[in-house]
Amino acid sequence: MNPVDFETLATFRYQIRKFLRFSKDFLCAEDLTPDQYQALLAIRAASPRCKLSIRDLAEQLQVRHHSTVGIVDQLVSRQVVVREVAPKDRRKILLALTEKGELLVQRLAPAHHEELSRLSPEMIETSSARGTLTQNCSRPTSAAAYCETPWQAEARRR
């Protein structure tokens, strides 16, 4: 990897973190964690064509099974998710949103979609146009010495 590759990777990850920070701050007002929201979103995305199992949700959240059970327990206690026994395999538990959960996701998702739409041109440019990050260089010979990274430029503009 060359220096531009590292800068591209760092910038892309920075843009992801900006979105995640927005989401965390936005969800705080609803007293939800990002994992809880992601669980609601995953359950909603799977419905109505199929329902998620705890195992499926753990994969979606990229957390361990027992952590997923804890997240689901919290959502069930808020009455936004219900557990259902799978009709074909009674050992398997499936997850569904309640009406309250559906309304909550319908209220939260548009703001996330809007923020992602706002950030996505930068993210797409960063991930697909390798080398464009050095456009702010005053001299092409030493990118590290003369470039301003996108996050430095944004901090300076604030």
Side-chain angles (χ1 to χ4, degrees):
M1 288 184 57
N2 63 45
V4 172
D5 293 331
F6 285 110
E7 191 170 352
T8 300
L9 184 58
T11 300
F12 185 71
R13 290 181 60 90
Y14 166 68
Q15 291 163 340
I16 291 170
R17 291 186 66 81
K18 281 186 353 184
F19 175 73
L20 294 175
R21 186 199 67 225
F22 159 82
S23 181
K24 184 178 179 180
D25 293 346
F26 186 77
L27 295 171
C28 187
E30 295 289 337
D31 198 29
L32 278 175
T33 68
D35 282 343
Q36 290 169 341
Y37 175 67
Q38 186 63 36
L40 292 170
L41 202 56
I43 294 166
R44 174 60 181 90
S47 301
R49 65 174 203 277
C50 65
K51 293 183 179 169
L52 287 183
S53 67
I54 297 285
R55 173 184 280 169
D56 297 333
L57 184 57
E59 173 61 26
Q60 286 283 318
L61 298 177
Q62 290 292 291
V63 298
R64 295 186 187 275
H65 184 275
H66 69 274
S67 298
T68 305
V69 169
I71 292 165
V72 170
D73 286 344
Q74 293 166 346
L75 295 172
V76 167
S77 72
R78 290 182 66 148
Q79 301 176 342
V80 293
V81 168
V82 292
R83 290 179 169 100
E84 301 173 354
V85 176
K88 294 182 181 178
D89 182 354
R90 301 198 51 79
R91 297 169 299 172
K92 193 174 189 179
I93 301 298
L94 302 177
L95 304 168
L97 293 180
T98 63
E99 187 176 327
K100 182 178 175 182
E102 177 68 33
L103 292 172
L104 181 60
V105 171
Q106 291 290 340
R107 194 171 72 245
L108 298 175
H112 283 86
H113 187 267
E114 185 178 312
E115 181 67 7
L116 194 55
S117 294
R118 189 183 72 73
L119 291 173
S120 64
E122 292 176 42
M123 296 173 85
I124 291 167
E125 180 182 332
T126 299
S127 65
S128 65
R130 192 177 147 237
T132 59
L133 298 176
T134 58
Q135 290 176 349
N136 292 333
C137 291
S138 58
R139 293 187 193 164
T141 54
S142 176
Y146 298 102
C147 286
E148 182 177 66
T149 64
W151 58 86
Q152 290 168 331
E154 183 175 322
R156 185 176 42 77
R157 286 190 296 267
R158 278 190 243 145

